[in-house]
Amino acid sequence: MTFLIQQTLLYAVPLMIVALAGVFAERSGIINLALEGIMIFGAFVGVLFIRILQSSEAIIALREAKNWLALQGIEMLTMLVAAALGAVFSLLLSFASINLKADQTIGGTALNLLSPALVLFFIRILANQNTLTMAEGDSASWFMIKKTTLGFAKTADLGFWGNTFLHKVYLANYICIIVFVILSVILYKTRFGLRLRSCGENPQASDSLGINVTRMRYAGTTISGALAGMGGFVYALTTANCASTGDVAGFGFLALAVMIFGNWKPLNIAGASILFGLFKCIAAGYSSIDINGDGIYMLKEISTTMPFFSSHFYRMLPYLITLIVLAFTSKNSRAPKAEGIPYDKGSR
């Protein structure tokens, strides 16, 4: 059960933070279909930044000295860099949607096409291959928190909660959860959040009250880009062994599904992310999941005895669940009224 919970969180947390990225953009009135592309760009920037840092002898010395606190600081710094560059990349969508009043769906699709091509172009230049990895080691050996990291003996038993949340985990996941909570409170409990949401519902009324709609939409899309960039790096760090391949396994599109399923509300999005994260976990590790801790890998045995439940079925399961859930819940979802509509100050 510990393995199942840990793996579910590895998939759920990036989904959760990127879905919140979509909420910030769409609550301001901008459809951000470019979440997938921004995640790909954020993953590349994060891996590249770590690779550059590893060229420093001081950083290598910290690793050899097992200064885990400093390494966690490097991890957090990389998250900030990925978020910053993700915000910059999202300005392309902001400018096209707000200033040029271009179709936001086409703009987001264009960025989704541009990002993997751009990332793979730079990867080929930098690494002369299709994958950019860390210069030395992997994410687990550099950034994973284990019981020995916290001063416990290797054979120490931390109990269920300790083994689940303190052993073989990443600080990045917990930081994302904290960021998710803080930004959710900002969105729904502050003046800034109220103004942002009003621009996605009735921008003309907001403008009549002195709210700068253009500025608020830029703010919403920029925050969205920062969160998506951060989510892309966290995905690469925790599930892709800190490698950038120009792909994030469709997590950006899954995050859009989570956002719609969660009805653009943070609490619902958190629950939906755990649900989708569970199915992604099953798809990725069905052969090694021991649900009851009795040494029986039930899902693996089912795939052996019943050919229909093959590995291909389990890999298809998250996307199949996405389609089923959206088919039954999309009618009850209420999107912001003004999303996708370019703001015209003269229209009423």
Side-chain angles (χ1 to χ4, degrees):
M1 185 60 72
T2 292
F3 173 80
L4 185 62
I5 293 174
Q6 286 183 337
Q7 294 300 308
T8 297
L9 285 177
L10 287 184
Y11 292 108
V13 169
L15 276 177
M16 185 172 67
I17 201 72
V18 177
L20 185 66
V23 170
F24 265 90
E26 298 203 6
R27 284 295 184 187
S28 71
I30 303 296
I31 298 175
N32 191 354
L33 288 184
L35 293 177
E36 177 90 358
I38 299 173
M39 281 188 73
I40 291 171
F41 188 72
F44 167 72
V45 167
V47 175
L48 178 62
F49 184 72
I50 290 176
R51 189 182 175 95
I52 292 172
L53 288 180
Q54 286 182 322
S55 63
S56 168
E57 293 182 0
I59 300 299
I60 299 298
L62 290 175
R63 169 69 177 84
E64 292 175 350
K66 296 184 178 181
N67 190 335
W68 302 114
L69 188 61
L71 294 179
Q72 297 306 314
I74 292 173
E75 181 182 341
M76 289 188 289
L77 178 61
T78 308
M79 291 176 67
L80 288 175
V81 171
L85 271 295
V88 171
F89 189 70
S90 70
L91 290 176
L92 293 172
L93 177 64
S94 303
F95 181 75
S97 302
I98 299 171
N99 296 85
L100 302 181
K101 293 182 169 56
D103 186 287
Q104 297 169 16
T105 303
I106 295 176
T109 303
L111 290 186
N112 285 335
L113 295 173
L114 171 65
S115 180
L118 190 65
V119 165
L120 285 173
F121 172 73
F122 283 118
I123 289 176
R124 290 290 296 178
I125 290 176
L126 295 170
N128 198 27
Q129 57 186 9
N130 293 329
T131 302
L132 185 70
T133 59
M134 296 172 62
E136 179 181 328
D138 55 22
S139 59
S141 62
W142 275 72
F143 303 114
M144 180 180 280
I145 298 174
K146 302 176 183 178
K147 61 177 72 174
T148 53
T149 309
L150 302 175
F152 295 99
K154 195 172 184 179
T155 57
D157 183 10
L158 303 182
F160 173 76
W161 297 105
N163 287 329
T164 302
F165 297 106
L166 296 178
H167 181 53
K168 292 185 178 180
V169 296
Y170 289 94
L171 180 63
N173 280 336
Y174 297 125
I175 293 175
C176 283
I177 292 173
I178 294 172
V179 170
F180 181 87
V181 172
I182 292 174
L183 289 181
S184 298
V185 172
I186 290 174
L187 184 60
Y188 281 91
K189 300 296 181 181
T190 65
R191 179 182 296 179
F192 169 79
L194 178 62
R195 292 183 173 185
L196 185 78
R197 288 183 287 121
S198 71
C199 292
E201 294 292 338
N202 194 329
Q204 283 78 19
S206 301
D207 192 16
S208 68
L209 294 174
I211 299 173
N212 190 321
V213 177
T214 297
R215 184 181 301 169
M216 296 308 295
R217 288 191 168 182
Y218 259 102
T221 312
T222 303
I223 294 172
S224 177
L227 291 176
M230 181 189 297
F233 168 68
V234 172
Y235 167 83
L237 175 73
T238 58
T239 65
N241 205 20
C242 207
S244 173
T245 61
D247 179 40
V248 289
F251 260 59
F253 298 115
L254 276 176
L256 285 171
V258 167
M259 178 187 69
I260 296 170
F261 178 43
N263 204 17
W264 290 266
K265 295 180 180 178
L267 191 60
N268 295 347
I269 284 173
S273 298
I274 293 173
L275 174 66
F276 283 87
L278 174 62
F279 285 107
K280 283 293 290 184
C281 171
I282 292 173
Y286 73 95
S287 61
S288 57
I289 294 177
D290 182 3
I291 299 175
N292 299 322
D294 54 5
I296 299 176
Y297 302 102
M298 186 183 303
L299 298 178
K300 182 180 180 181
E301 290 188 359
I302 291 174
S303 67
T304 303
T305 56
M306 302 177 66
F308 177 78
F309 294 96
S310 64
S311 60
H312 302 293
F313 172 80
Y314 287 115
R315 291 180 187 133
M316 182 179 64
L317 194 58
Y319 308 99
L320 184 63
I321 294 297
T322 301
L323 292 174
I324 294 173
V325 166
L326 289 180
F328 284 98
T329 61
S330 58
K331 289 184 179 180
N332 298 323
S333 298
R334 182 191 172 278
K337 290 182 180 179
E339 72 163 359
I341 303 173
Y343 175 60
D344 183 1
K345 192 169 185 178
S347 65
R348 288 290 182 268

